[in-house]
Amino acid sequence: LLNLSMGVLSNNGIYLMDDGYSLYMLVGSSVDPTILKNMLGISSIQEVESLNEDMLYHNSSDPLVERLYYLITELRNRKAEKYAYLHIIKEGERSPAEFAFYSKLIEDKIDMPNSYKMSYADFINVLSMPVVGSDKI
């Protein structure tokens, strides 16, 4: 588990986020080609225009892919209402899914429409502040 902050992301990583409704997988632009080959069947994310879930299970005999499949299945099983769509995002593709991924990094203050306007720490401070006049209720 990582903090929801840009500071923990690197371009050689792969990150899975569950926002309660959908799943997002951000694939960094410099991920090891061996991992990409085993996981998605490609050597570089520049080889394809977009990534999809069918590509993810390309090599189901790889232990990493098996563990990822079971993790995604478990996250989906925990959803009571609907099937959680998996958005697989290439870092830097500038898609709506990439924007959604970055806007959900709640520990960062980012100035984008539809994003959180305060950091997580600021939000906790707001919750813990006494309400003025609450002693008169």
Side-chain angles (χ1 to χ4, degrees), residues 30-137:
S30 298
V31 173
D32 183 327
T34 305
I35 293 173
L36 286 176
K37 191 70 169 170
N38 290 339
M39 185 179 282
L40 298 164
I42 57 175
S43 299
S44 167
I45 63 170
Q46 287 77 26
E47 286 181 20
V48 293
E49 186 160 328
S50 64
L51 301 172
N52 61 56
E53 192 168 355
D54 291 336
M55 297 171 71
L56 182 62
Y57 306 124
H58 165 78
N59 184 5
S60 60
S61 63
D62 183 86
L64 176 62
V65 174
E66 285 183 36
R67 288 194 313 261
L68 185 58
Y69 170 78
Y70 288 121
L71 175 60
I72 290 169
T73 300
E74 180 60 28
L75 291 173
R76 284 178 170 156
N77 288 338
R78 292 180 183 198
K79 310 278 184 270
E81 295 184 19
K82 67 173 192 138
Y83 176 82
Y85 183 79
L86 174 62
H87 303 271
I88 303 180
I89 307 157
K90 291 173 29 177
E91 179 186 30
E93 73 182 9
R94 300 176 194 258
S95 67
E98 184 179 24
F99 172 78
F101 179 90
Y102 287 121
S103 71
K104 294 173 190 309
L105 298 175
I106 61 172
E107 293 188 21
D108 290 329
K109 290 182 184 179
I110 54 177
D111 190 22
M112 296 176 150
N114 303 323
S115 66
Y116 300 98
K117 299 300 183 199
M118 66 176 74
S119 71
Y120 181 73
D122 291 340
F123 177 70
I124 294 299
N125 287 335
V126 168
L127 291 179
S128 63
M129 290 175 21
V131 177
V132 176
S134 63
D135 58 335
K136 298 178 185 176
I137 297 178

